[in-house]
Amino acid sequence: MQGAKMNGKSMVEGAPWKHILRFAFPVLAGSLLQQLYNTVDSIIVGNFSGEDALSAVGTTGSFTFLFLALAMGFSAGNGVVVAQHYGAGDEKQVRANASTGILLLMGMGVISTVAGLLVSRPAFTYFVGVPEDFLELTLQYFRVYTVGLIFQFGYNIFSSILRAVGDSAATLYFLLIASVTNIVLDLIFVAGFHWGVVGAAVATDIAQAGSFVAAYIYMTRKYPMFRFKRKEFTWNYGLAKSTLKAGAPIALQLIIVSFGLTFIQRAVNGFGQVMTASFTVGYRIELYLNLPCSAFQTTLATYTGQNIGAGKMDRVKKGVRQALLMSLILTLCISALVWLSADKIIGLFNLSEQAAVYCHSHIRTIALVNVVLTLYIPLFGVFQGANHGGAATLVAVGALSVRVLTTYLFRYSPFFGYTIIWWNGLFGFGTGFLIAWTYYLSNRWQKKSSIQKQTVN
C-alpha cells in the first residue's frame, strides 16, 4: 500500500481496537494535560486574585469556545480530507490539501483576533449578560486572550494533519510544552507579579505560541512531504472548498455548543456572582468527564476516514463497538473518582461557603449524567469521517436546544430551581443519545461515504 510509505501510521489493517487505543491514548492524555493546566489556571487565579477574577475568567469560557470551535472544526475538516487521501495512498493530494489547510486556518486566526477585539464589549454586556461587578475584568482577560488566536488556529491545523496520517502521539508532546509553560507563567504573572486576569491571559497566549512552534517544527522535520518552502505553499480554491465542506458541519456543531453554553452561562449569571464562581469550577470538572468520549470521537474520525479511503467499510462498525466499550469504561472510572473526591476538588479553588455548596451538588450530578455522553459522542467521529458531519450537527442542535429550553423553563420552578443548571444534561444528553443512535442504526451515514476529490494544479 502506498500510504504505508508516507511515514505515518495506517489504521486499515490489523485489530481495530489496537489501532484505536494506540491512537486514542495520546489524544486523551493530551486533552487531560490541557484540562489540567486550565484547572491550575483557575486555581491560581482563584487563590491569588479572588472570586471576582475567577468568575471573570470562567464567564469568558463559552465565548472563547466559539473561536476554538472554528479552529477545531475546520482543522478537523481538513484532517478528514487528508486522512481519506492518506488511506488511499495519494501523497500528492495529502500534501496539497495540507498546504491549503494551513493557509486557510492561519487566515481564519487573524480574522478571529480582529473580530474578537471588535465585538468583546457588546457580546459580554448584552449577549452573555456579565454582571457589572466583574465586566471590566472579563473584558481585560478576553481581549488579551484573543491576541493569541492565530497560534490556536495554527496549532490545531498542524495537529489535525498529524492525526490524519496516524500520528496522535505528537500532540501529547506539544500540549505538555503548553501545560508546563502556562503553569509556570501563571505562577510568575498572577501569583508573583499580581497581574490578575491579564497575567492569566498573557500566560495562555505564550503557552499557545509555544505549542504552535513545537508542532510546526515537529511536522516539518519528521514528515518530508510537509516541508513547504514559502513558494511551495499551494492555495487551491477547490481544495479549500473540500476542507470547508468537511469542516463546516464540525465547526457548526461546536459553534452550536458554544451558543448553547452561552445561553446557559447567561442563566447562571442571573443567579449571581457566587453561582458564577461555582459554575466555573463545576464546568472545569465536567470537561474531565468528557475527555474519553471526545478522544474516541477524534480517533474514530481518522479511523473512519482512513478505512473509507481504503475501501474497507466493514472495519468501521467493528471499530465503533470496540471504541464505545473502551470509552464507557474510562468514563465510569473518572466519574467514580469525581464522585468520591468532590469535596477535596472543591477545596482547591478557594470558593466561598455558599459557592462550595452549589459546586458540590453540580459535580456529583454531572458525574452521573455525563455517562450518557460517552454512549453517543464517539459516533460523531464516524459521521465526520464518512463525510456526514451534518448528522453530528443535527444531534448537537437537538441536545443543546433541549438543555437550554429546560434550563429556562425550570430555573425558577419549585422542584428544580437553580439545580437545573446541572440537571439539564439529563434531558439534553438523553435527546442526543436517541438522535445519534437512530441515525447510526439507519446506516444512512454509509451512503455517499467517499473521498472528496479535487484536481491539484
Side-chain angles (χ1 to χ4, degrees), residues 151-225:
F151 302 120
Q152 185 179 95
F153 277 75
Y155 164 76
N156 273 278
I157 185 60
F158 296 152
S159 296
S160 290
I161 291 170
L162 289 171
R163 285 194 293 265
V165 298
D167 191 347
S168 62
T171 58
L172 175 59
Y173 309 137
F174 310 147
L175 288 171
L176 179 61
I177 293 171
S179 300
V180 173
T181 302
N182 200 55
I183 291 171
V184 170
L185 293 179
D186 270 338
L187 290 171
I188 295 173
F189 296 155
V190 181
F193 295 167
H194 302 290
W195 288 358
V197 296
V198 172
V202 171
T204 299
D205 288 347
I206 295 175
Q208 289 180 339
S211 60
F212 165 82
V213 172
Y216 177 75
I217 292 173
Y218 175 90
M219 183 181 74
T220 53
R221 288 189 177 181
K222 184 169 182 179
Y223 298 93
M225 62 181 164

Side-chain angles (χ1 to χ4, degrees), residues 413-453:
S413 68
F415 184 76
F416 282 108
Y418 63 81
T419 67
I420 194 61
I421 296 299
W422 38 89
W423 277 110
N424 62 49
L426 180 64
F427 304 98
F429 301 153
T431 301
F433 175 89
L434 292 175
I435 299 174
W437 274 99
T438 298
Y439 191 83
Y440 178 77
L441 294 175
S442 73
N443 291 324
R444 293 179 62 186
W445 57 273
Q446 295 186 56
K447 299 176 181 178
K448 298 181 181 180
S449 298
S450 58
I451 301 177
Q452 298 192 38
K453 295 183 178 180

Side-chain angles (χ1 to χ4, degrees), residues 300-371:
L300 285 177
T302 298
Y303 175 84
T304 302
Q306 284 196 11
N307 279 280
I308 286 175
K312 297 185 177 182
M313 184 67 74
D314 58 311
R315 287 175 54 84
V316 176
K317 287 189 175 182
K318 187 175 181 180
V320 169
R321 294 193 298 269
Q322 295 172 358
L324 284 171
L325 179 60
M326 290 185 283
S327 180
L328 177 60
I329 292 172
L330 285 173
T331 300
L332 289 174
C333 291
I334 298 174
S335 294
L337 181 62
V338 167
W339 178 276
L340 295 172
S341 307
D343 291 328
K344 293 181 179 179
I345 292 170
I346 295 169
L348 296 171
F349 293 86
N350 195 33
L351 292 175
S352 63
E353 184 177 350
Q354 186 58 55
V357 171
Y358 291 149
C359 197
H360 186 275
S361 177
H362 186 171
I363 288 176
R364 287 206 158 177
T365 300
I366 62 176
L368 297 175
V369 172
N370 278 43
V371 174

Side-chain angles (χ1 to χ4, degrees), residues 221-238:
R221 288 189 177 181
K222 184 169 182 179
Y223 298 93
M225 62 181 164
F226 298 136
R227 293 174 188 168
F228 302 106
K229 294 180 181 179
R230 185 182 302 177
K231 294 181 179 180
E232 292 180 325
F233 275 102
T234 301
W235 175 259
N236 184 300
Y237 285 101

